[in-house]
Amino acid sequence: MVYLDEDQDWIPVRYQGQRLVPGGHIYSAEIMVESNVTLDAQTVLSAINSTNLSLSKQTVQIINTELVAECLIVGTDTNCNCSTNYHWSNEVCYNYSCCRDATCKQNVSYITPLCSPKVKVFIIGSVQTAAAWNPAKTTMLENQFQKLNAFQYANVTGSRNISTSPPLVYVDFEVAVSVRVLTYKLQDIVKNLTSLLTATIFVDTLGMVIVEAPGTQVCYQSTPKLACKLEEATDSAGWNITTRNQRFELNDGSVVQLNKTCSTNTFQSCIGVTLNKVTGTWEGTYECGFTIGSIRHIGRADLSVALLPDTITLSSMPLTVDCPENQKSVSITVSAIIPASNATYNISWGYRGNLTAQNLYSLKKMSSSVTASSSYVNYTFNPAISCEQTIETYVNISFKNVIGQIKSAQLNIPVIYAGKPFCKEELLDEYTWPKTPAGDTVIIRTCPAGKVGYKSRSCNGPDWQAVFSSCVSEQLNKVSNAAEAFLKGLGATPEVAKNIFEGLKNSSTLSSGSGESIADVSASIGVLNMMANASNTNKLGEDIFPDFVSAASNMLNGTWSGVNDTIRYKMSSDYLDSVEGLVKNINVNQSNGINSTNLDLTFCRSNDCNVSVFDIGVNMNKTNGILKTVAVKNLMSKLNNSFNGTQPERTDLILSATLDNKSDSTIRIRLDFPSGKTNPTQPHCVFWNTSRNTWSDNGCNISFSDENHTICECNHLTAFSVLMSKGDGGKKDHILELISNIGLGVSICSLVIFLIIESLVWSAVVKTNLSHFRHTAIVNIATFLLLAYCSFLASSNPKTLTDSWCLVLTICKHLFFLAMFCWMLCLSIMLVHQLIFVFSPLRKRVFMFLSSILGYVCPIVMVGSSYVYCKYTNQNYYNSETCWLVYKKLLVGSMHAFLLPVGTIVLANLFSMVVVIVTLMKTSVPDSSKADDKETAKGILKVVIVLTPVFGLTWIVGFIQLIMSDSPHINVINYIFTILNTFQGFFILITGCFAEQKVREELFKLITGKSKGNDSTKKFTSTTYTKDH
């Protein structure tokens, strides 16, 4: 008889074999040999090994066989025995009472499996009882566990008294068996003992679970995987780690990734864990557990990591090196501090990256320079810093672990070379800032009592900049470390989360956001950010709301004046994102909301929500879910409130709205913001764009606004506010948009026609230098204006563009408009020169050279310089909401890299026009007739009409628009500016082409096909009102 089961690893039988088929599957089979004579077991095994079997038309190769059990049946007498390392199966034990390691007299030869392989299984438990423990209870405990198959022993390992009311006694015990137990049998025993002893019993088993873990040491920053498997289905499963006498529960996080879907038909319960980029923190004993009722089956495995220092902190003494004249080098002491561990490192250090024979030190050679404590190890060495000036001076140290991995750190050494600028030594707030070279930053790794971190200060030579403190309170630092571990998945439990927010609340009460405490505010925001990220995978309970709201409110009490705008903008944006993320992810059960000084949080469960937070009315209709709204005070002043390239006035409130379990396909929320403004201003309903860290009005509209309040309607949920700009600012005028689009279309077509005409008549109209100069300038003006208009149209809908395209189009518009104005200036200068220096005309080569510099090089230099300056000073070069330059206030913002050169050129061109008009008026004699005066007036009018488009004088209206932005007539000015400038291309076609007789004549000849005749036609006075010579 052959029994075959593909899924089983072990099937104990009389003879057991493993067979390998070509497909790679391993099968276990059992064979029962019946005979009326005594057979030698080895003979049977040899026969099996020499037999080829077929399985599903495939050849089966037997790779292993062994004897499991033998039965001798004589008449009605049966004697069965399991082989060494095997014990009676649970079926044999509980059905035929053969439970000990002895001969079974029952006829069990047909049972499959007959014997099970021996395994060590320990049952570890505790009895909690209010009654005293005595030997009789120990006997009772032993008698109950003797019912288990393959029972070996039951021992009481200890007891302890707990001072409670009433007092409790805990008795620990250990039971050993040699086969895997049946959980339901163990549960029956526990249930009986609970009744007999009138106690509560906790039981764990060790040896039931199969643990898969790396068998060797894993690499630092590798990604090891562990898995636990159990044959029975269970209620729940989890992982824990014990390291350095600390025990943590593991949950999903940035490092820990649990796998609960690895079960199979054989192993009905499975839980795996993947650890991403392990460090020394993750070395320890891992324990998995499967729970069935009151029984917990556990498995353990040790994970060994080839350690490298998780942190390397380098410092030098002195902090800077002062090189006197004629001195070749200066010796300093460098310290490297790493966390203490049992790892052995091969350590080397170098100066400027050179690890040569004379400065390569092993751990043995440096042993005299090593100091240690319970938590860190300090290595010191003494390099000689060269006084020969180089680009960079640094010291580096490398740690190599037992498998050859290396981790390095570098310390830049500020060196004061003879004759170079520096900041003098200064004593400030009990800290001595040493003599420091210009452009370097000094770090002092000491803080006031009760704080940890460092202070830094930069030398702007010869002046010191303000001290930047990164000293954080010790209590807050512990909270931050706990939040970091929580984010990784180490100890990420609801209890730990509550402790983190409680600690954050206690730490935040002392933070004012100025001076030393700004580092505490920044660290507190970091804790909020880590917990918000962690809440995406580990849901938090509503019991943390009181501490969370109090802590978040306390952070806003100060002005955050201890940092620059760039850092403050990032802090405020991170704060808003974190608060919004936490409110969204925290589970709400019974709470209706909570408020504090700076935060007001409310929940709405009804379908028709009408709530108020800090006097902001919120209305929303929904079908299901919980609407969570939180209003925030004292944050708007800390955010980057630029909008559409301006810095509008603002309200003092931000409202964030999120909806749990939403199923609505469309969302419409109505917000009623109190204005508090009496001056006439234009409101903007905006939301905080988290991807761009700026305000946007996409999806939000103004429903109603007056001096008391503004009602906004939006089709999405996020953080909302209201900004106030001067005049009509960002209000869309559809008529104005229509005029702009028509004007741009007409101008683009006109400019294309103009350039085509110029190319056709070029050779006929540039026969003199003056004509060549003028037409060259006008063609360049038209070309760059055409490119600028095309770039403007391409960026007309910024919300559909990526940041990269928005930047490219902003640079294009900036460059093309500046190039156009520079060529207008070339034309203006040429005209004035010809009027003033009549008998000293410009040579063509000189004009082309100077015009190329002014028309091509200068715009590129201005645009490139403004972009580099914005990047260097960490300012925004462009506004992603408008794809145009940024205007913050007078002389602040990249917009001035456009306004200042354009304004200068427009004024210069206006001066040139005045010169032309004055010159024209001087040509009329004092006794001229009224007819001559009339002709002069016509000439002046013609000059104004012809020169205004090509001199860019229509842009004067744009500057008037900026100055009179508060005027009640601003709409009229907007219309005038839009009409004049969007049709500028059309005006250039009329005045630069059709108004010139030479061009008209040549164009007429081309159209009619007439040959060129004698050029006796009376010349039309040019737009410069000078004769071509």
Side-chain angles (χ1 to χ4, degrees), residues 521-658:
V521 174
S522 180
S524 299
I525 294 173
V527 172
L528 286 182
N529 187 262
M530 286 187 286
M531 295 305 293
N533 290 331
S535 67
N536 291 321
T537 53
N538 294 286
K539 294 301 181 181
L540 306 178
E542 64 180 9
D543 57 336
I544 72 169
F545 269 127
D547 291 334
F548 157 54
V549 171
S550 296
S553 177
N554 292 337
M555 295 176 200
L556 298 176
N557 287 334
T559 59
W560 299 4
S561 59
V563 292
N564 58 36
D565 287 346
T566 302
I567 297 176
R568 183 166 55 254
Y569 291 161
K570 185 180 187 309
M571 288 172 57
S572 57
S573 180
D574 290 345
Y575 175 93
L576 183 58
D577 293 344
S578 301
V579 169
E580 189 173 19
L582 282 168
V583 171
K584 177 181 178 181
N585 292 331
I586 295 175
N587 291 326
V588 177
N589 188 15
Q590 301 295 329
S591 176
N592 291 318
I594 187 172
N595 65 351
S596 60
T597 305
N598 295 309
L599 265 74
D600 191 358
L601 179 62
T602 301
F603 309 123
C604 176
R605 296 174 176 83
S606 64
N607 291 339
D608 185 12
C609 288
N610 283 285
V611 297
S612 177
V613 281
F614 282 152
D615 297 328
I616 302 176
V618 181
N619 173 261
M620 180 178 173
N621 294 320
K622 57 185 179 65
T623 57
N624 65 345
I626 300 175
L627 178 64
K628 301 176 179 179
T629 55
V630 56
V632 185
K633 285 182 179 179
N634 294 329
L635 181 63
M636 283 293 289
S637 59
K638 303 172 177 66
L639 284 165
N640 180 8
N641 291 310
S642 63
F643 180 70
N644 287 342
T646 64
Q647 287 285 340
E649 298 181 30
R650 60 180 183 270
T651 61
D652 296 328
L653 298 172
I654 300 175
L655 183 134
S656 172
T658 58

Side-chain angles (χ1 to χ4, degrees), residues 144-163:
Q144 286 294 319
F145 281 107
Q146 282 181 353
K147 299 177 182 179
L148 291 174
N149 184 24
F151 172 82
Q152 291 184 319
Y153 65 80
N155 295 328
V156 173
T157 57
S159 64
R160 58 194 184 278
N161 296 322
I162 305 298
S163 298

